[in-house]
Amino acid sequence: MIKRLIVDFAYFINTSGKYQKKKHFFYDLLENNSYKYKKYFDIFMITLIFISVVIFIQEVKSEVDTRLLYFNNYIISFIFLVEYLLRLWISSSISKTIIEQSEHDFILGEKFRFFKAFKNILIIKFRYILSFKAIVDLLAIIPFFHQLRLLRIFILFRVFKLFRYAKSIQTFTSVIAAKKFEFFTLFIFASIIIFVSSVLIYVMEANHPDSSITTLFQAVYWSIVTISTVGYGDITPITQEGRVVSMFVIIAGIGVFSFTTSLIVTSFTEKLDEIKDLKLIDDISKIKEFYLICGYGTVAKEVAKKLSIHNKVIILDEDEEIVSRATKDGFIALNYDPGTTQSYHKLKINIKSQVKAILCLGKNDVENVYTALTIRSFNKDVFILSILKNKVNKNKLNFAGVNEIFYEKELVGIVAKEFVGKHVAFEAIHALRSSYNGIDVNEIRITQRIIKNYQKIADLDNKKYRIVLLGVYKTKEKQFFFNPIDDTLFENGDYLLVIGNTQFLKEFNVLLNKKN
């Protein structure tokens, strides 16, 4: 009966929305670096650590106000105790362990083995308790029992809690951890040298009446100081044999020091790109709105240039060389495959609130279809525009959930059809395709301010600025009109597509927005 109640309660806890929401909140606050409020919690905890250490140092030679001591020994320690218990709580799920054991026993046709589940819970929790960070957290709480003055020295262990809150320290430790085997080998090598040199110097120097090395501890101290190339000079060998040992220890010390330096430098060099990417991902997660361009080629470059004038643009491409080229062009680019969900999870972006639109501009239709399908698998609402290379694949892009398809060959055909029979048709098209110097195509959004001064096409004074009006896009009708008639009325949100000299385009834009 009691076992049944325990299992039922475990299921209740595991399915309780309020309980899981609270647990998820504390997990985000304590462990999730992408959670927006975590940095404030980290700053608060770092501040408490420094306050605690400053009070401890002040107490060494002078009297400290009893209120400060109370704050340090009780309030700060209690906060650390609560944090420790919360971390222990979120480290694993007790209810999940009970449910797994219950379902396992049910499948085997056995009764629920509560003690087996209890044993698994203890193993999981003790595994966390015995971890380095948990031990440091526990030692930081010990000053709470400050009646034993000796225990107050454990306040210094609160400094080690900085490893939890300072990202730069976490980065450094992760880099060092990547070479733990090499560092362990180096430690063994250095330990052997210290042990052998300590014994040798002790044998050579201990019986000499003027020697400063009279105990084995002093010999070990001298070995460590010498091999580390510090050389305080407070203990020095005076016998010929002792000095020979010193020479070998100094040479070995230079080797150990050089090897240590090269290991650290190599570790950081190997992790440098990863560290830069992590920093870039953190910066991207703070951007409020941006366009996401998947794939980077000639078209993507020109699109990114235009969009980046007034918006933030992020580029994703799976080719490292292409990403490097995009970065050199001045864009934020990351080496991620836009066709996999893992890439978007690593980016830590909220597509619903941060991404204004996604542009699939890959080098072929297959890439664009995969990208669109991947995005639609976890977001149904974001606007997706895709370039179409082969008209045969249009239905595939529509099926993948692309909102707008841009078929470049079709557009060129439409333009050619509009200009056919005109004596400058081929020259104009050629000039546009070869990026004729000083000529640009621009779009101008019709605002309420422009409508107050210009109600229709005939009101525009574009010929004065030698600007050609290619057409107008009517937003409400979602249709583009080439060479519109003079009586075409403007509506708020419409777009003019114009071509002309870059400087004249700027002046024409200023004229339209100028208040009469």
Side-chain angles (χ1 to χ4, degrees):
M1 183 65 181
I2 296 175
K3 290 181 179 180
R4 186 70 260 167
L5 286 173
I6 291 171
V7 173
D8 289 343
F9 185 70
Y11 274 106
F12 171 75
I13 289 292
N14 207 48
T15 55
S16 172
K18 290 183 179 179
Y19 176 84
Q20 295 300 332
K21 189 176 180 181
K22 287 178 182 177
K23 189 169 186 177
H24 189 69
F25 167 76
F26 285 113
Y27 175 82
D28 286 340
L29 190 66
L30 296 170
E31 299 292 349
N32 187 3
N33 289 321
S34 60
Y35 187 56
K36 60 182 179 178
Y37 295 116
K38 186 180 186 299
K39 63 179 181 180
Y40 301 112
F41 175 77
D42 290 348
I43 292 169
F44 172 70
M45 296 301 287
I46 289 169
T47 304
L48 289 182
I49 290 168
F50 279 113
I51 289 172
S52 182
V53 174
V54 168
I55 292 172
F56 177 71
I57 294 170
Q58 186 70 21
E59 194 182 1
V60 174
K61 283 195 172 183
S62 57
E63 289 291 327
V64 178
D65 190 286
T66 52
R67 287 171 294 184
L68 281 177
L69 286 176
Y70 181 85
F71 177 74
N72 186 33
N73 295 328
Y74 288 103
I75 305 299
I76 295 179
S77 297
F78 180 74
I79 292 171
F80 288 159
L81 175 63
V82 171
E83 183 211 15
Y84 177 79
L85 295 175
L86 286 173
R87 288 188 186 277
L88 182 63
W89 173 42
I90 66 170
S91 65
S92 60
S93 174
I94 294 175
S95 59
K96 191 176 179 181
T97 305
I98 292 173
I99 290 169
E100 286 176 354
Q101 185 63 46
S102 172
E103 291 178 349
H104 178 267
D105 293 340
F106 178 76
I107 291 170
L108 295 177
E110 299 177 357
K111 291 183 178 180
F112 171 57
R113 291 177 292 177
F114 170 73
F115 288 104
K116 179 71 181 295
F118 184 70
K119 180 185 175 183
N120 291 335
I121 291 167
L122 287 179
I123 290 171
I124 294 168
K125 290 298 181 184
F126 270 104
R127 194 176 295 154
Y128 170 77
I129 290 170
L130 296 175
S131 65
F132 174 75
K133 289 183 178 180
I135 290 171
V136 170
D137 289 341
L138 185 63
L139 292 174
I141 299 166
I142 289 179
F144 192 61
F145 310 99
H146 70 287
Q147 287 82 0
L148 295 173
R149 188 171 181 81
L150 179 63
L151 296 181
R152 293 167 77 175
I153 197 70
F154 283 95
I155 285 175
L156 290 176
F157 279 93
R158 292 178 179 177
V159 177
F160 290 103
K161 284 176 70 66
L162 290 172
F163 282 91
R164 278 199 182 276
Y165 312 114
K167 284 186 179 179
S168 56
I169 297 176
Q170 289 177 8
T171 302
F172 180 79
T173 51
S174 67
V175 169
I176 298 301
K179 293 284 183 181
K180 57 185 177 183
F181 176 75
E182 289 85 347
F183 278 108
F184 179 74
T185 305
L186 180 64
F187 174 75
I188 296 296
F189 175 70
S191 299
I192 292 170
I193 293 174
I194 289 170
F195 175 74
V196 172
S197 60
S198 299
V199 173
L200 284 174
I201 203 73
Y202 178 70
V203 171
M204 302 298 180
E205 296 282 321
N207 293 325
H208 197 283
D210 299 324
S211 175
S212 54
I213 300 173
T214 56
T215 63
L216 187 59
F217 176 78
Q218 288 175 329
V220 173
Y221 167 76
W222 170 86
S223 296
I224 294 172
V225 169
T226 306
I227 200 171
S228 64
T229 70
V230 174
Y232 292 122
D234 53 341
I235 299 178
T236 56
I238 58 174
T239 64
Q240 289 290 107
E241 295 83 355
R243 287 171 181 171
V244 170
V245 174
S246 296
M247 287 189 285
F248 282 109
V249 174
I250 291 168
I251 293 169
I254 293 171
V256 170
F257 184 76
S258 302
F259 188 38
T260 305
T261 306
S262 66
L263 270 180
I264 294 172
V265 171
T266 304
S267 301
F268 272 98
T269 303
E270 290 175 357
K271 288 273 187 178
L272 192 60
D273 290 336
E274 187 180 329
I275 292 168
K276 284 182 179 178
D277 280 353
L278 290 172
K279 178 67 171 65
L280 196 57
I281 288 169
D282 284 340
D283 293 339
I284 290 171
S285 65
K286 295 172 186 175
I287 300 174
K288 290 184 178 179
E289 281 188 332
F290 59 84
Y291 286 97
L292 187 64
I293 297 178
C294 301
Y296 188 75
T298 307
V299 175
K301 182 179 179 180
E302 295 303 318
V303 171
K305 277 183 181 178
K306 292 291 182 184
L307 289 176
S308 60
I309 295 172
H310 302 293
N311 304 275
K312 291 283 186 181
V313 175
I314 311 297
I315 295 167
L316 295 184
D317 200 292
E318 60 181 330
D319 193 315
E320 197 171 338
E321 290 183 10
I322 292 175
V323 170
S324 179
R325 189 162 67 241
T327 305
K328 286 179 182 177
D329 290 337
F331 302 113
I332 301 173
L334 287 164
N335 185 209
Y336 287 113
D337 183 2
T340 60
T341 53
Q342 290 88 344
S343 299
Y344 301 97
H345 291 315
K346 289 177 182 177
L347 276 172
K348 299 177 183 177
I349 58 173
N350 190 330
I351 289 182
K352 188 176 181 180
S353 61
Q354 286 183 282
V355 180
K356 296 175 76 173
I358 295 175
L359 286 71
C360 301
L361 305 177
K363 55 181 177 281
N364 57 61
D365 292 332
V366 176
E367 285 186 13
N368 295 329
V369 168
Y370 271 108
T371 300
L373 285 171
T374 300
I375 294 162
R376 285 289 178 242
S377 68
F378 57 84
N379 191 291
K380 307 293 182 186
D381 303 319
V382 66
F383 182 86
I384 301 176
L385 181 145
S386 176
I387 194 169
L388 178 64
K389 301 288 185 180
N390 192 331
K391 203 170 183 178
V392 177
N393 298 317
K394 187 174 182 180
N395 289 334
K396 293 177 183 177
L397 285 170
N398 282 323
F399 179 77
V402 175
N403 300 95
E404 199 77 35
I405 297 172
F406 173 73
Y407 186 41
E408 50 188 3
K409 292 178 184 177
E410 193 174 68
L411 181 61
V412 171
I414 291 170
V415 173
K417 182 182 176 183
E418 286 294 321
F419 285 96
V420 72
K422 298 180 181 179
H423 67 284
V424 294
F426 296 106
E427 287 81 358
I429 292 170
H430 175 71
L432 284 172
R433 285 175 62 82
S434 56
S435 301
Y436 182 72
N437 188 30
I439 300 299
D440 198 5
V441 179
N442 204 351
E443 60 178 38
I444 300 172
R445 187 176 187 273
I446 300 298
T447 62
Q448 205 63 45
R449 184 187 185 90
I450 293 175
I451 294 173
K452 286 180 181 178
N453 302 323
Y454 308 93
Q455 282 78 39
K456 54 187 178 180
I457 296 289
D459 297 334
L460 296 174
D461 200 11
N462 55 299
K463 291 181 181 178
K464 178 183 175 182
Y465 291 88
R466 299 180 184 178
I467 288 170
V468 177
L469 175 64
L470 293 177
V472 59
Y473 178 78
K474 306 293 289 181
T475 306
K476 286 186 178 178
E477 299 172 35
K478 292 186 177 180
Q479 189 174 353
F480 185 83
F481 296 92
F482 272 104
N483 195 21
I485 60 175
D486 290 343
D487 292 332
T488 303
L489 295 172
F490 292 135
E491 293 178 282
N492 189 27
D494 290 349
Y495 286 89
L496 297 177
L497 186 63
V498 293
I499 180 172
N501 181 276
T502 306
Q503 188 59 40
F504 286 170
L505 284 173
K506 288 181 181 177
E507 293 179 13
F508 181 63
N509 205 349
V510 171
L511 173 72
L512 291 180
N513 288 280
K514 189 176 180 181
K515 188 176 181 182
N516 291 339

